[in-house]
């Protein structure tokens, strides 16, 4: 056991300890649930990952920034922590459980620290162990930060995807397009709906555009305003807008709220709306067989 | 200012007569003075000759501000007084969105997707257009 000067500050002491015991700490950590479950292929891989984390901690301690999650030393392990976090959350662990798994890394390191500094004064040992605890706490914070930002990035990505997926424009007939709206309409979505619908009106030379709100759970004054805007914009381009799929509950809500949809053509179902548009286009639907069984 | 400047900026927008219909095509940026000049030209032409409809094609216009929006609405209103109908044709989606966001839904204005559709619209008898074939909205 190499001698070390008792005069060093606890932070530097911890740094020296981390550098000296790098291999042993990594070996111990590799047996902890966090590393064991993430790096299932080989133990060596887990040990390597553990070493990377130890190096990062030593670097942070070297910079005297044990309490700073933004310390430069953490940047290199951030990606690895994100990968570990993603693996653990795929396994069904909550962020809290992940956090306690990270906390479980502290006792093995602390045991090693106590064994390593058996020559030192109890005073220094205590301070070193506190410093190590703070350092591990900061690591936990970094891991949590990474996990949260990963989650946020995922949500942002999915929101964009949802915008694309949720607004298909369907051509129902020559000159008639329809947008079935599913889910809650907010400002961003209604903007996308408006743009895609108007572009479809140009592309398809549509005289009629049907907005089907069967899948819209509730209509409040904001949603109604978005609908009116879309209808007005379509009208400015020379297409007539019909709003269909107004369920009885929604009709009641609209009346209760006192919303004025007076300028908007409304129909109960998409079929009714299509029928209206076809009639306006001058197309009539007749049964091929006058006495056919399918007559309604 | 040079002569060229006054011709392009304050100059006339050509008004073409096709039978009973006047066709106006707006291109690019339309300056306020030109828009007002057009408004005046149109009312004089309609009063002089007995046209029944005006088609304003704005498919070449990238941007419509509140002033031009109001001029369009005024042209429609004044041609109505002179017993003719105005149809604005070919508005771009971006322009339509801008106008709606500005709160200019131009309720009294007749619109059509293309000039062709606008011509068809004007060919229809007046009665049918009043009774729901066109959207007559109260402001």
């Amino acid at each position: 056991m190499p001698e070390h000067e008792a005069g060093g500050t606890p932070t530097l002491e911890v740094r020296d300890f981390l550098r000296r015991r790098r291999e042993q700490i990594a070996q111990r950590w590799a047996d902890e649930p966090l590393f064991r479950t993430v790096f299932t292929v080989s133990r060596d891989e887990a040990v390597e990952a553990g070493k990377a984390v130890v190096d990062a901690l030593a670097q942070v301690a070297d910079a005297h920034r044990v309490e700073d999650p933004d310390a430069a030393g953490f940047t290199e392990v951030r990606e690895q922590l994100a990968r570990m976090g993603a693996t653990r959350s795929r396994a069904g662990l909550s962020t809290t459980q992940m956090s306690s798994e990270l906390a479980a890394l502290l006792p093995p390191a602390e045991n090693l620290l106590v064994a390593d500094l058996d020559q030192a004064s109890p005073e220094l040992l205590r301070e070193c162990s506190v410093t190590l605890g703070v350092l591990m706490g900061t690591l936990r914070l970094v891991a949590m930060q990474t996990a949260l930002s990963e989650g946020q990035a995922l949500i942002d990505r999915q929101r964009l995807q949802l915008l694309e997926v949720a607004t298909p424009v369907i051509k129902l007939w020559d000159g008639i397009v329809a947008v079935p709206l599913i889910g809650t309409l907010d400002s961003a979505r209604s903007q996308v709906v408006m743009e895609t619908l108007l572009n479809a009106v140009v592309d398809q030379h549509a005289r009629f555009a049907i907005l089907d709100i069967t899948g819209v759970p509730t209509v409040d004054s904001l949603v109604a305003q978005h609908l009116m805007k879309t209808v007005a914009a379509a009208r400015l381009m020379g297409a007539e807008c019909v709003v269909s799929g107004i369920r009885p509950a929604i009709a009641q809500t609209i009346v209760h709220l006192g919303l004025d949809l007076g300028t908007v053509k409304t129909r109960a179902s998409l079929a009714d709306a299509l029928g209206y548009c076809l009639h306006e286009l001058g197309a009539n639907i007749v049964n091929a067989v006058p006495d056919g069984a399918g007559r309604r | 200012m040079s002569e060229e400047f006054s011709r392009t900026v304050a100059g006339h927008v050509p008004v073409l007569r096709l039978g009973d219909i006047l066709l106006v095509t707006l291109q690019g940026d339309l300056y306020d003075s030109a828009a007002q000049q057009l408004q005046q030209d149109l009312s004089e032409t309609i009063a002089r000759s007995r046209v029944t409809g005006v088609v304003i094609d704005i498919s070449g216009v990238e941007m419509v501000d509140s002033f031009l929006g109001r001029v369009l609405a005024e042209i429609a209103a004044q041609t109505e007084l002179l017993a003719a109908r105005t149809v604005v044709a070919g508005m771009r989606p971006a322009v339509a969105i801008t106008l709606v966001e500005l709160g200019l839904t131009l309720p009294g204005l007749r619109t059509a997707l293309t000039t062709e559709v606008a011509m068809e619209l004007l060919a229809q008898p007046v009665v049918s257009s009043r009774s729901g074939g066109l959207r007559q909205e109260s402001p």
Side-chain angles (χ1 to χ4, degrees), chain A residues 191 194-195 198-199 201-202 204-207 228-230 232-241 263 265 276 280, chain B residues 88 90-93 96-97 99-101 104-114 117 120 132-133 135 137-138:
Chain A
Q191 191 71 26
M194 197 194 276
E195 277 169 25
L198 296 188
N199 284 324
V201 164
V202 176
Q204 316 261 1
H205 294 281
R207 292 267 308 277
M228 304 274 277
K229 270 188 186 174
T230 311
R235 197 193 64 85
L236 279 176
M237 289 186 51
E240 186 173 356
C241 234
T263 59
K265 277 263 179 325
Y276 165 77
E280 288 290 306
Chain B
V88 172
M91 189 183 291
R92 295 183 179 210
I97 292 174
L99 280 180
V100 170
E101 293 296 337
L104 284 169
T105 51
L106 306 178
L109 199 65
R110 288 183 185 81
T111 50
L113 196 62
T114 59
V117 177
E120 283 172 19
R135 295 156 293 285
E137 293 165 350
S138 54

Side-chain angles (χ1 to χ4, degrees), chain A residues 84-136:
Chain A
M84 287 162 68
T87 316
R88 291 315 276 150
S89 62
R90 263 203 300 280
L93 257 77
S94 72
T95 319
T96 328
Q97 284 166 308
M98 163 96 185
S99 173
S100 51
E101 281 195 350
L102 267 165
L105 296 182
L106 179 60
E110 214 161 29
N111 290 341
L112 276 171
L113 180 78
V114 173
D116 189 55
L117 294 180
D118 53 353
Q119 311 280 316
S121 63
E123 188 73 5
L124 180 67
L125 184 60
R126 199 177 52 79
E127 279 181 16
C128 284
S129 119
V130 167
T131 310
L132 185 66
V134 172
L135 194 55
M136 292 303 292

Side-chain angles (χ1 to χ4, degrees), chain A residues 150 201 231 274:
Chain A
E150 284 284 303
V201 164
V231 171
L274 179 60

Side-chain angles (χ1 to χ4, degrees), chain A residues 2-15:
Chain A
E3 283 293 321
H4 40 266
E5 52 288 348
T9 66
T11 312
L12 293 182
E13 207 65 56
V14 167
R15 178 200 68 187

Side-chain angles (χ1 to χ4, degrees), chain B residues 22-43:
Chain B
L22 293 179
L23 175 63
V24 182
T25 308
L26 301 186
Q27 292 282 344
D29 290 339
L30 192 67
Y31 290 90
D32 292 358
S33 54
Q36 271 174 329
Q37 184 67 45
L38 170 69
Q39 192 176 352
Q40 203 179 330
D41 286 357
L42 271 177
S43 54

